[in-house]
Amino acid sequence: MVSVATPRTAARKALLALLGILAIANVDVAHAQPAQHMHGVAGTKPARPELGTSAAFAPDGALYAVTKDGQHVLLHRSPDDGRSWDAPVVVNTEPEPISADGENRPKLAFDADGAALVSWTRPLAKRFTGEIRFARADDRRHFTAPVTVHRDRQEITHRFESLAVTGAGKVVLAWIDKRDLELAQAANRDYRGAAIYAAVSDDGGRSFRPEQKIADHSCECCRIAITGDADGLPLLMWRHVFEPNERDHAIVKLGADGAPGSVARATFDRWRIDACPHHGPSLAVAPDGTRHAVWFNEKDGEGRVFYGRLGDGRVEGQRALGGERAAHADLAVVGRRVAVTWKEFDGERTALRAEVSADGGATFSPRALAATEGASDQPRLIRRGDALLVFWRTETEGMRGYWLE
């Protein structure tokens, strides 16, 4: 792969190596293209099963998941932590296109009162376009009619949304948006990547403030991580395009009014590649304020999944997770306990792996959780009280949960 000083021909070699990593990790490589050709087309038949799923525990401890079935989003409930599932509830009664690949899947969260909050991206007719949709159900069964969250209704990219309820009780929706790229192109100005926009709700998702731009020059197709800082205010982390074309990660904190603070560089691997790897980060904050993260990047000529603790202008304890085929890590924190999970292809099967730290990320112990021979979604780490569950959906085994003891 490439280093900072590598020319464009070697960058193409790096992209081919990245495509190989995505392919062996059971990722839809049709989306991992150079930056100017990287989105799918609305209505195109997916190359792989659409397994993109999100899961969360409700305040009463029940496990829920959201999936796509045709032109509907479905909410599933498990009475036994993922061993079996009740008949699903339809979120959108009126059918519509829905994105459900790994980085652009339906999302799920719960407000403090237990209402189910669901978001998804609806592809539009024009290539590479979409809009962010949202619905809520106080009783987790009868959903409101979906709404488009953003005021901007141009037929452009509003895609790859992330949804979270922070400790301050705010519902945050953030997405990748190309309205500023469109303006720049119309004015014949250069513009790197896309932008991050976010909308905040103060009433559990019943209404949203007008969206605000968080930052220019985001990567085009990587998921956005959202979590609450130690004071409960939202933190956002995403893959950013730093000049001239270093695809590292940035972090921003939103104020009580939803306005973004300054953009800070979070990782320093300095990966130069003219492509989007469809490989977003995960972020969690410990009670002492330590910011733990996992991400995918190239460092020292090698593409790997990394863990580290984000400081002011530095990364502490950065280390690779798994082998060279590790992919799509997720992370969660409970007190001093830090857990990471990822999937990894061994040439025949895809394994689900994890590591757990009891000392704030200083040391970790490994866990082998499961394996599958078919296609698989990205794993999710979700929390119920002080317990942590790895949620993983596979083509063969379905939706399962694995507790981290």
Side-chain angles (χ1 to χ4, degrees):
M1 300 181 81
V2 297
S3 61
V4 173
T6 306
R8 176 174 291 275
T9 54
R12 293 295 300 177
K13 181 179 177 182
L15 175 59
L16 293 175
L18 173 62
L19 292 174
I21 291 172
L22 298 178
I24 59 180
N26 291 325
V27 176
D28 183 357
V29 298
H31 293 286
Q33 300 296 329
Q36 66 271 28
H37 301 296
M38 80 180 61
H39 302 290
V41 181
T44 300
K45 183 177 179 180
R48 293 180 179 272
E50 292 184 295
L51 300 176
T53 303
S54 297
F57 285 110
D60 63 4
L63 176 63
Y64 286 81
V66 284
T67 65
K68 170 187 174 178
D69 183 13
Q71 291 193 316
H72 294 281
V73 178
L74 302 182
L75 177 68
H76 307 257
R77 180 184 183 275
S78 173
D80 49 18
D81 302 333
R83 292 185 293 276
S84 65
W85 296 86
D86 297 337
V89 172
V90 176
V91 175
N92 59 310
T93 56
E94 294 295 324
E96 62 182 59
I98 296 159
S99 295
D101 61 21
E103 297 283 90
N104 197 18
R105 65 194 187 274
K107 310 302 190 307
L108 172 65
F110 293 93
D111 70 9
D113 296 328
L117 314 178
V118 179
S119 68
W120 63 95
T121 294
R122 176 168 69 179
L124 302 176
K126 187 178 176 181
R127 295 180 69 196
F128 316 146
T129 65
E131 56 188 14
I132 309 305
R133 304 284 279 167
F134 177 85
R136 63 169 278 135
D138 290 333
D139 59 1
R140 307 177 206 164
R141 296 194 60 82
H142 301 91
F143 279 86
T144 58
V147 298
T148 298
V149 173
H150 42 86
R151 270 59 167 180
D152 180 70
R153 299 301 174 87
Q154 300 177 76
E155 193 176 7
I156 63 170
T157 291
H158 316 89
R159 303 176 68 207
F160 295 90
E161 95 288 346
S162 289
L163 169 69
V165 179
T166 68
K170 297 182 181 298
V171 179
V172 182
L173 263 169
W175 61 89
I176 293 171
D177 195 302
K178 287 193 173 180
R179 69 184 76 175
D180 298 281
L181 171 64
E182 297 280 339
L183 289 172
Q185 290 177 336
N188 200 27
R189 292 185 285 107
D190 289 336
Y191 189 94
R192 304 184 313 277
I196 302 296
Y197 275 74
V200 176
S201 172
D202 301 305
D203 56 8
R206 295 174 181 86
S207 63
F208 284 85
R209 301 180 191 177
E211 67 267 24
Q212 296 196 55
K213 181 164 63 176
I214 305 304
D216 288 300
H217 311 308
S218 71
C219 202
E220 295 90 340
C221 306
C222 289
R223 74 176 185 252
I224 304 162
I226 309 176
T227 192
D229 204 356
D231 59 4
L233 291 175
L235 280 175
L236 279 65
M237 181 180 176
W238 66 91
R239 186 183 300 279
H240 194 78
V241 187
F242 293 94
E243 291 189 19
N245 193 26
E246 294 180 355
R247 301 211 173 208
D248 260 304
H249 296 83
I251 195 166
V252 156
K253 184 172 181 175
L254 304 187
D257 60 354
S262 58
V263 176
R265 189 166 186 153
T267 64
F268 303 85
D269 304 320
R270 303 191 181 281
W271 186 16
R272 271 193 177 183
I273 186 168
D274 187 22
C276 178
H278 278 249
H279 215 132
S282 181
L283 176 69
V285 179
D288 65 1
T290 302
R291 297 174 178 178
H292 300 266
V294 290
W295 66 94
F296 178 89
N297 253 2
E298 181 198 277
K299 184 176 175 64
D300 300 327
E302 187 176 21
R304 297 292 292 271
V305 173
F306 293 102
Y307 159 81
R309 297 177 294 280
L310 308 182
D312 185 10
R314 67 190 187 283
V315 178
E316 297 179 348
Q318 181 168 340
R319 52 186 289 271
L321 297 174
E324 62 181 10
R325 295 176 174 181
H328 297 293
D330 199 15
L331 171 145
V333 173
V334 178
R336 294 275 293 165
R337 195 171 180 228
V338 183
V340 295
T341 188
W342 68 93
K343 65 179 187 177
E344 187 167 349
F345 189 62
D346 66 4
E348 295 182 357
R349 301 189 304 166
T350 300
L352 177 65
R353 304 191 182 280
E355 291 187 357
V356 180
S357 172
D359 54 12
T363 61
F364 286 85
S365 58
R367 306 280 195 278
L369 301 178
T372 188
E373 295 182 354
S376 63
D377 189 25
Q378 303 169 9
R380 325 282 177 212
L381 243 172
I382 56 178
R383 176 178 173 178
R384 183 169 68 191
D386 291 336
L388 294 171
L389 182 83
V390 177
F391 175 89
W392 196 35
R393 183 183 181 188
T394 67
E395 183 180 15
T396 303
E397 293 80 14
M399 298 185 293
R400 297 283 183 88
Y402 306 89
W403 289 104
L404 291 179
E405 303 297 337

